[in-house]
Amino acid sequence: MSDRPVVVLVTGEPVPRVLERRGDYASLIQACAPDFAAPWRALDVRQLDVLPELTDSLGVIVTGSASSVVDLEPWMERTAACLLELVRDQVPLLGICFGHQLLGHALGGQVARNPRGREMGTVELTLFSSDPVIGDAGSWRVNSTHLDSVVVLPPSAKLLGATGLEPHAAVRFGANAWGVQFHPEIDTEVMCEYFDARRALLEAEGFELAEAERSLQSAPFGAQVIERFLTYAEAVQRR
């Protein structure tokens, strides 16, 4: 067991019923690897004027958020600077949804509204090549909910996978840095709560809600990304 912590940088909360029933994003992420023995530490970066030194972490995971990187609030810029430092120091790093976008921004990419529109529900992820963290090449089901995208990747990024609406769904941003536009921590129950919470908005948009609800799956491949990331981070520490 490592005595170094897995640090979760919290950038938002799930919808209210998920927060009440299942906990915050840090709890949902930790639940993907219940047998992982290293300590966990959650930091809400929205509340921190100065981020602590994180280079001694086993690994760092950046959560999703209802906020938009397009807005570039001061806390986002502070966190982006921290992520850039972690990439340079080769600390294992995984960005999820908003975290993926913020990582892309930090490294020189461009984030904007997805020109293909909202992606929400269980979608097919095509991985073009195998990766130790994201998984084996092929087609996999994952759960997703987002409006923004990394529309231009940083120069050093390697594209790993895409979905029908998201061409940059899985990216290796550096030697030890990854981002996924989907949500590994969201299962069927959580996704149902997201649909319920946003039902009026989705209907107003003309989103095919009934079809998306019928297509929902548990998508265990997503949760395995968290496990593979932690296994990779442990291996890096042993080198």
Side-chain angles (χ1 to χ4, degrees), residues 87-233:
V87 172
R88 288 173 175 168
D89 289 338
Q90 297 195 17
V91 176
L93 178 60
L94 175 65
I96 296 173
C97 195
F98 174 92
H100 162 77
Q101 296 159 13
L102 191 61
L103 184 53
H105 163 74
L107 295 173
Q110 180 183 348
V111 178
R113 291 294 189 191
N114 185 350
R116 296 165 180 79
R118 182 188 295 273
E119 181 176 66
M120 189 171 184
T122 303
V123 299
E124 184 174 294
L125 169 72
T126 300
L127 290 183
F128 309 128
S129 58
S130 297
D131 178 85
V133 168
I134 305 304
D136 292 336
S139 295
W140 308 95
R141 293 290 180 178
V142 295
N143 285 317
S144 183
T145 173
H146 70 104
L147 281 170
D148 293 347
S149 297
V150 184
V151 295
V152 178
L153 292 177
S156 60
K158 177 185 178 182
L159 179 62
L160 297 175
T163 66
L165 294 178
E166 178 48 67
H168 302 148
V171 176
R172 191 165 187 170
F173 285 109
N176 290 334
W178 291 263
V180 292
Q181 186 55 73
F182 57 91
H183 280 267
E185 79 284 11
I186 288 185
D187 59 18
T188 304
E189 179 185 36
V190 172
M191 198 77 250
C192 285
E193 295 290 1
Y194 269 78
F195 281 136
D196 285 345
R198 295 177 178 161
R199 189 169 300 276
L201 173 63
L202 294 171
E203 290 174 346
E205 288 179 359
F207 183 83
E208 296 291 340
L209 183 55
E211 180 180 347
E213 288 181 309
R214 284 195 300 270
S215 301
L216 275 181
Q217 296 181 24
S218 60
F221 176 85
Q224 293 163 8
V225 170
I226 301 294
E227 293 181 319
R228 283 191 289 268
F229 172 74
L230 297 173
T231 299
Y232 180 93

Side-chain angles (χ1 to χ4, degrees), residues 23-75:
D24 59 9
Y25 277 130
S27 298
L28 292 172
I29 291 167
Q30 188 171 353
C32 292
D35 298 326
F36 189 69
W40 291 75
R41 179 185 182 196
L43 296 173
D44 191 331
V45 293
R46 299 167 299 175
Q47 308 300 324
L48 297 175
D49 292 331
V50 178
L51 274 70
E53 174 63 51
L54 298 175
T55 53
D56 64 345
S57 307
L58 180 69
V60 176
I61 301 174
V62 192
T63 73
S65 177
S67 299
S68 173
V69 174
V70 175
D71 296 331
L72 282 183
E73 297 177 41
W75 68 265

